Amino acid sequence: MVLFEQSSIVKELTTLTYDMWSKGWDEYNGGNVSCILRDEDLEQLPRDEPIKQATVEDIPFSMVGKYILITASGSHFRNLKDHIKRDLGVIKVTEKGYDIVWGFLENRRPTSELYMHLLAHAQRLEIDFNHRVVVHNHAPNAAAYSLISDHDDKSYTLPLWRVLTESIVVFPDGVGILPWELPGTLDIALHTVEKLRKCRLVVWAFHGILATGRDFQDCFGLIETVDKAAMIHMKTRTSRQYEGLSDDDLYAVCQVLKVQPREGFLDFSKRGQNEVKNIITNLQ
Ligand code: 2HA
Ligand code: ZN
């Protein structure tokens, strides 16, 4: 039997954390990651007695009984791959909190953002039962752009859609943004979950970004696209030539690539849908 630390899910996570550090998204001990384990992942998990039990208030009911692979508080993504059983662990969510069933050696415990991870999983599973990964990091362009953008979802999202054609295709639900809040608190978790009802990406102003999705690659790609579009936007926004894609251009992209943009973000008043359809017919 393959040891759990050598299983594919653990390898995928350690590749992700190293890649994120290489991109400059996880300085020092920044960032945290979690994944709900599937039956096939659990086959490799030893079922010994819980190593430790912890109490957490207000556990979301739908998470009880689930096994979650999650990074440790204080772990450094640069070298997490060299300390797998210390900097990673598996918890089983219980009605009263969680049991540590694997990892977290040397008295480590789950990330300080554990509550946000549990609530975020519960929320996204309601929308799509394939969503089982939550990734938080400090992608610098996404964070820098939160210093100059208004803190509402439409203001943050639209410029990103306008500067990079793929943006609206990759995140048609847009990006949610919260004003600055204390990390690791119940409040930031609850406000994040509000945003996750409508979209898969949430920026914490002056701090970082989180993504939810099917797998690590999915979340990595979402953040990569936001961060790149934010970089292009900030580099070009003072240039007089810069306007970017219009609402009609964006609508046409959505039609060609068959995505539904977040309601209320685009305005098609200047050109009706029929005309957009004509453009698409001409393209075919
Ligand atoms: O894990 O990034 O938000 C450290 C953090 C807290
Ligand atoms: Zn953070």
Side-chain angles (χ1 to χ4, degrees):
M1 197 172 112
V2 181
L3 287 174
F4 187 68
E5 51 268 49
Q6 288 161 3
S7 65
S8 56
I9 194 72
V10 169
K11 276 196 197 131
E12 282 170 37
L13 187 146
T14 53
T15 302
L16 170 90
T17 47
Y18 189 77
D19 286 351
M20 295 203 305
W21 171 77
S22 308
K23 293 278 267 180
W25 295 352
D26 294 283
E27 75 294 337
Y28 204 61
N29 62 354
N32 32 76
V33 175
S34 71
C35 170
I36 300 174
L37 296 178
R38 296 162 302 190
D39 289 348
E40 60 253 50
D41 307 316
L42 291 173
E43 276 167 24
Q44 279 136 9
L45 188 71
R47 302 301 178 94
D48 305 328
E49 289 298 302
I51 300 164
K52 206 191 257 180
Q53 299 183 305
T55 311
V56 181
E57 276 171 37
D58 300 322
I59 288 287
F61 183 69
S62 61
M63 297 305 289
V64 173
K66 294 207 186 309
Y67 288 80
I68 300 179
L69 176 66
I70 188 162
T71 51
S73 174
S75 55
H76 292 197
F77 287 3
R78 177 168 172 254
N79 59 13
L80 185 147
K81 61 182 171 40
D82 303 323
H83 303 278
I84 293 179
K85 279 192 88 170
R86 185 192 72 184
D87 290 353
L88 262 186
V90 176
I91 59 169
K92 181 182 182 192
V93 183
T94 64
E95 275 170 27
K96 294 197 179 126
Y98 60 86
D99 295 345
I100 295 177
V101 297
W102 180 88
F104 292 139
L105 294 183
E106 298 176 28
N107 251 345
R108 297 291 168 117
R109 54 191 163 80
T111 167
S112 56
E113 307 285 2
L114 171 68
Y115 204 69
M116 181 279 285
H117 281 259
L118 293 179
L119 288 185
H121 281 300
Q123 176 58 52
R124 288 310 302 177
L125 278 178
E126 266 182 37
I127 294 166
D128 186 332
F129 67 88
N130 288 314
H131 282 185
R132 61 191 194 104
V133 170
V134 175
V135 174
H136 163 68
N137 63 43
H138 303 159
N141 297 298
Y145 172 42
S146 77
L147 308 190
I148 55 171
S149 166
D150 286 341
H151 295 161
D152 72 83
D153 301 0
K154 185 171 171 180
S155 304
Y156 190 94
T157 303
L158 268 180
L160 304 185
W161 282 358
R162 295 202 195 291
V163 295
L164 188 68
T165 305
E166 281 295 300
S167 287
I168 197 167
V169 183
V170 174
F171 51 94
D173 297 338
V175 183
I177 178 163
L178 293 181
W180 185 78
E181 290 196 45
L182 266 182
T185 58
L186 181 58
D187 274 356
I188 202 167
L190 291 171
H191 296 148
T192 301
V193 166
E194 278 296 311
K195 296 286 174 186
L196 290 173
R197 286 184 216 280
K198 291 219 169 99
C199 54
R200 297 167 57 193
L201 282 152
V202 182
V203 165
W204 292 347
F206 314 150
H207 180 157
I209 185 165
L210 70 100
T212 66
R214 291 184 304 278
D215 51 43
F216 298 123
Q217 175 52 42
D218 186 24
C219 293
F220 185 92
L222 283 171
I223 295 175
E224 195 176 24
T225 314
V226 169
D227 198 64
K228 182 177 236 182
M231 183 266 287
I232 296 170
H233 171 54
M234 289 187 294
K235 277 196 171 158
T236 53
R237 75 193 177 98
T238 50
S239 142
R240 270 195 283 139
Q241 296 94 342
Y242 163 57
E243 273 178 30
L245 303 173
S246 67
D247 286 13
D248 291 333
D249 298 330
L250 288 168
Y251 187 69
V253 173
C254 288
Q255 293 235 304
V256 172
L257 291 159
K258 299 196 176 22
V259 293
Q260 181 71 41
R262 171 105 156 245
E263 219 179 299
F265 277 21
L266 300 179
D267 171 16
F268 312 115
S269 52
K270 291 191 215 87
R271 185 195 277 173
Q273 288 196 14
N274 288 340
E275 212 170 325
V276 175
K277 283 210 180 90
N278 288 340
I279 301 172
I280 290 161
T281 319
N282 293 340
L283 278 176
Q284 283 162 348

Short mmCIF file of all heavy atoms in Angstrom, two decimals, residues 30-32 113 136-138 183 204 207-208, ligand 2:
data_model
loop_
_atom_site.label_atom_id
_atom_site.label_comp_id
_atom_site.label_asym_id
_atom_site.label_seq_id
_atom_site.Cartn_x
_atom_site.Cartn_y
_atom_site.Cartn_z
N GLY A 30 2.91 32.75 4.62
CA GLY A 30 1.63 33.19 4.05
C GLY A 30 0.92 32.07 3.31
O GLY A 30 1.55 31.20 2.72
N GLY A 31 -0.40 32.08 3.37
CA GLY A 31 -1.22 31.18 2.57
C GLY A 31 -1.67 29.94 3.32
O GLY A 31 -1.06 29.53 4.31
N ASN A 32 -2.75 29.36 2.86
CA ASN A 32 -3.27 28.10 3.41
C ASN A 32 -4.15 27.42 2.36
O ASN A 32 -4.72 28.09 1.51
CB ASN A 32 -4.03 28.34 4.72
CG ASN A 32 -4.74 29.67 4.77
OD1 ASN A 32 -5.77 29.85 4.14
ND2 ASN A 32 -4.15 30.65 5.45
N GLU A 113 -6.85 30.01 9.52
CA GLU A 113 -8.06 30.31 8.73
C GLU A 113 -8.95 29.06 8.62
O GLU A 113 -9.77 28.97 7.70
CB GLU A 113 -7.68 30.78 7.31
CG GLU A 113 -6.72 31.94 7.24
CD GLU A 113 -7.34 33.29 7.58
OE1 GLU A 113 -8.54 33.34 7.92
OE2 GLU A 113 -6.60 34.29 7.52
N HIS A 136 -5.90 29.78 -0.41
CA HIS A 136 -5.70 31.20 -0.09
C HIS A 136 -4.22 31.52 -0.20
O HIS A 136 -3.37 30.76 0.25
CB HIS A 136 -6.19 31.49 1.34
CG HIS A 136 -5.66 32.79 1.89
ND1 HIS A 136 -6.02 34.01 1.39
CD2 HIS A 136 -4.75 33.03 2.87
CE1 HIS A 136 -5.36 34.96 2.06
NE2 HIS A 136 -4.59 34.39 2.95
N ASN A 137 -3.91 32.67 -0.83
CA ASN A 137 -2.51 33.11 -0.87
C ASN A 137 -2.46 34.64 -1.02
O ASN A 137 -3.51 35.30 -1.00
CB ASN A 137 -1.73 32.39 -1.98
CG ASN A 137 -2.28 32.70 -3.36
OD1 ASN A 137 -2.61 33.85 -3.66
ND2 ASN A 137 -2.39 31.68 -4.20
N HIS A 138 -1.24 35.15 -1.16
CA HIS A 138 -1.05 36.60 -1.20
C HIS A 138 -0.52 37.02 -2.57
O HIS A 138 0.51 37.69 -2.66
CB HIS A 138 -0.09 37.03 -0.08
CG HIS A 138 -0.55 36.60 1.29
ND1 HIS A 138 0.29 36.49 2.37
CD2 HIS A 138 -1.78 36.24 1.75
CE1 HIS A 138 -0.40 36.09 3.44
NE2 HIS A 138 -1.66 35.92 3.07
N PRO A 183 -7.58 38.98 9.72
CA PRO A 183 -7.56 37.58 9.28
C PRO A 183 -7.81 36.62 10.45
O PRO A 183 -7.62 36.99 11.61
CB PRO A 183 -6.15 37.40 8.71
CG PRO A 183 -5.35 38.54 9.20
CD PRO A 183 -6.28 39.65 9.60
N TRP A 204 -9.33 39.63 -0.37
CA TRP A 204 -9.35 40.31 0.92
C TRP A 204 -8.46 41.55 0.75
O TRP A 204 -7.24 41.41 0.56
CB TRP A 204 -8.76 39.41 2.02
CG TRP A 204 -9.61 38.21 2.36
CD1 TRP A 204 -10.90 37.96 1.99
CD2 TRP A 204 -9.20 37.08 3.15
NE1 TRP A 204 -11.32 36.77 2.51
CE2 TRP A 204 -10.30 36.20 3.22
CE3 TRP A 204 -8.03 36.72 3.82
CZ2 TRP A 204 -10.26 35.00 3.92
CZ3 TRP A 204 -7.98 35.53 4.51
CH2 TRP A 204 -9.09 34.69 4.57
N HIS A 207 -4.59 42.29 1.54
CA HIS A 207 -4.14 41.01 2.11
C HIS A 207 -3.88 39.97 1.02
O HIS A 207 -2.73 39.62 0.77
CB HIS A 207 -5.20 40.53 3.12
CG HIS A 207 -4.88 39.23 3.79
ND1 HIS A 207 -5.41 38.86 5.00
CD2 HIS A 207 -4.09 38.18 3.41
CE1 HIS A 207 -4.94 37.66 5.34
NE2 HIS A 207 -4.15 37.24 4.38
N GLY A 208 -4.89 39.49 0.34
CA GLY A 208 -4.66 38.42 -0.63
C GLY A 208 -5.94 37.97 -1.30
O GLY A 208 -6.90 38.73 -1.40
ZN ZN B 2 -3.29 35.37 4.28
#
